[in-house]
Amino acid sequence: MRNVAQGPIAWRSELWGSPPRALATVLLLALLAWGGYHAVEWGVLHAVFRPDAEACRAVQYGACWGVVAEKWRPMLFGRFPYEEQWRPAIAVAVLSAVTVLSAWPRSWRWWLAPLWAAALLLFVLLMRGGVAGLAPVPTSRWGGLPLTVGLAVVGLALAFPLALLLALGRRSDWPVVRTLSASYIELVRGVPLISVLFMASFLLPLLWPAGWQPDVLVRVLAGLTLFVAAYLAEIIRGGLQAVPRGQTEVAMALGFGRWPVQRDIVLPQALRLVVPALTNSVVGTLKDTSLVTVVGLFELTGALGLALGGDPTWRPFYLEGYLFVAAVYWVLCFGLSRYSVWLERRLGEGAR
């Protein structure tokens, strides 16, 4: 009760405790009111919501949300065949449902791995087609939200085990393992992601045997996985170093082996400590998928360019399209941040 009672008093003191603070508060509130009024006026009061390009051009000051009503399908699904867009919609729903289920600690059981394998297989079958009467769709026509979610989820799922091995390897007592792990992490972290994507797309094919070239999406996914694994490895290593070494020594003195100690004592504590940092890396990876546009894959932001770039009728309304894409990214990233807070609190309560 004491903390609850002090909350409003603390806010009042912070905002109005002295004449300079009161003046700053008034100016800030005035600025927010001015900005909020103009945002509502432009985005709601004078906006056009119906897909009518002529009405949008006739408005002198107002948003044209009609571009979203007209172009939302190519924005979300890219160049995927229009009549088959129910397939990527179901694929994203399946992958999202499994991801949400995996976020619930009570579902962390043995059956989660085969469930993920089935979900990924269904995702690929729905997107690629060629089976069960589904029309085949090459990966060059995949795009929009399914490509963004697929690259982020699959890339992180593949990167995390590799990152765990790299983090443990960098703390290994074996010099060769420690040196190789550290060299890989520092090498990958020393180059930007866009260069990794370029190498995966244009340089790696030169090293493959003639007549056999992996799909560009596979190459990009491999590059993204290797890049993200290096950053996750350093985050996990930070958590491992935060666990008191005395716990490991006591457990081994009681007869535990090296790997059971890491699996049952060290890793659970280390991962719990780095939940905020892991979430930050996940959010960054989700947004970094927009870089695959430079190698010819049109995810969410690239699909927006395709949807509006070739249509002179709606091309002037890029701003509203980008705001729509930004809203989609914000919903995904904000959901991840809220989940991070909830998971950190839940794991903290479980530890006590």
Side-chain angles (χ1 to χ4, degrees), residues 22-44:
L23 178 60
T25 300
V26 170
L27 292 177
L28 181 60
L29 291 176
L31 180 63
L32 290 176
W34 178 83
Y37 169 77
H38 284 281
V40 171
E41 185 183 27
W42 178 81
V44 179

Side-chain angles (χ1 to χ4, degrees), residues 167-175 177-178:
L168 293 173
R170 191 160 188 178
R171 288 172 49 85
S172 173
D173 295 331
W174 299 341
V177 175
R178 186 171 61 251

Side-chain angles (χ1 to χ4, degrees), residues 46-48 50-67 308 311-317 320:
H46 295 164
V48 176
R50 62 186 184 277
D52 187 345
E54 294 298 328
C56 288
R57 290 192 182 91
V59 175
Q60 296 295 325
Y61 178 75
C64 177
W65 302 117
V67 67
L308 301 184
D311 191 341
T313 302
W314 295 102
R315 191 183 301 161
F317 308 107
E320 290 83 350

Side-chain angles (χ1 to χ4, degrees), residues 45-348:
L45 299 180
H46 295 164
V48 176
F49 293 91
R50 62 186 184 277
D52 187 345
E54 294 298 328
C56 288
R57 290 192 182 91
V59 175
Q60 296 295 325
Y61 178 75
C64 177
W65 302 117
V67 67
V68 178
E70 177 70 19
K71 294 290 187 177
W72 69 270
R73 289 182 68 159
M75 286 181 188
L76 290 181
F77 302 117
R79 294 183 294 182
F80 208 90
Y82 186 87
E83 65 280 359
E84 300 287 336
Q85 287 179 359
W86 60 271
R87 288 161 49 184
I90 295 177
V92 169
V94 169
L95 203 58
S96 301
V98 176
T99 303
V100 172
L101 179 63
S102 303
W104 193 29
R106 290 187 180 181
S107 66
W108 296 346
R109 300 291 186 270
W110 64 269
W111 46 264
L112 198 58
L115 179 63
W116 264 103
L120 292 176
L121 178 62
L122 182 60
F123 180 87
V124 173
L125 292 178
L126 285 171
M127 294 294 293
R128 191 173 186 85
V131 296
L134 299 177
V137 179
T139 57
S140 60
R141 300 197 66 181
W142 297 14
L145 185 62
L147 186 59
T148 295
V149 174
L151 283 173
V153 171
V154 178
L156 287 165
L158 295 176
F160 189 82
L162 177 58
L164 194 59
L165 293 176
L166 288 170
L168 293 173
R170 191 160 188 178
R171 288 172 49 85
S172 173
D173 295 331
W174 299 341
V176 174
V177 175
R178 186 171 61 251
T179 302
L180 290 176
S181 299
S183 300
Y184 171 83
I185 291 172
E186 297 304 329
L187 175 64
V188 173
R189 291 172 69 228
V191 296
L193 175 58
I194 194 169
S195 65
V196 174
L197 296 178
F198 267 113
M199 287 187 290
S201 300
F202 303 116
L203 296 183
L204 281 184
L206 301 177
L207 305 178
W208 297 106
W212 185 75
Q213 297 292 342
D215 188 89
V216 62
L217 179 59
V218 175
R219 300 198 301 268
V220 167
L221 180 61
L224 181 66
T225 299
L226 296 174
F227 183 85
V228 173
Y231 283 85
L232 291 179
E234 284 299 275
I235 294 173
I236 296 173
R237 185 172 72 93
L240 292 172
Q241 292 184 169
V243 178
R245 191 174 184 84
Q247 296 189 19
T248 303
E249 296 172 350
V250 169
M252 296 188 71
L254 292 174
F256 286 88
R258 181 177 298 273
W259 290 113
V261 169
Q262 295 292 332
R263 184 188 65 230
D264 300 329
I265 298 175
V266 177
L267 278 176
Q269 297 182 73
L271 295 178
R272 183 169 63 247
L273 291 171
V274 297
V275 165
L278 288 175
T279 304
N280 185 60
S281 184
V282 170
V283 170
T285 301
L286 176 64
K287 294 185 292 185
D288 284 345
T289 57
S290 59
L291 294 175
V292 303
T293 305
V294 301
V295 295
L297 296 176
F298 299 97
E299 41 62 68
L300 198 55
T301 54
L304 172 64
L306 289 176
L308 301 184
D311 191 341
T313 302
W314 295 102
R315 191 183 301 161
F317 308 107
Y318 260 104
L319 176 59
E320 290 83 350
Y322 275 116
L323 289 176
F324 171 72
V325 170
V328 174
Y329 274 112
W330 182 84
V331 169
L332 295 175
C333 295
F334 183 75
L336 287 171
S337 66
R338 291 296 90 196
Y339 168 72
S340 171
V341 173
W342 174 82
L343 182 63
E344 188 178 8
R345 185 184 305 115
R346 183 184 178 92
L347 294 179

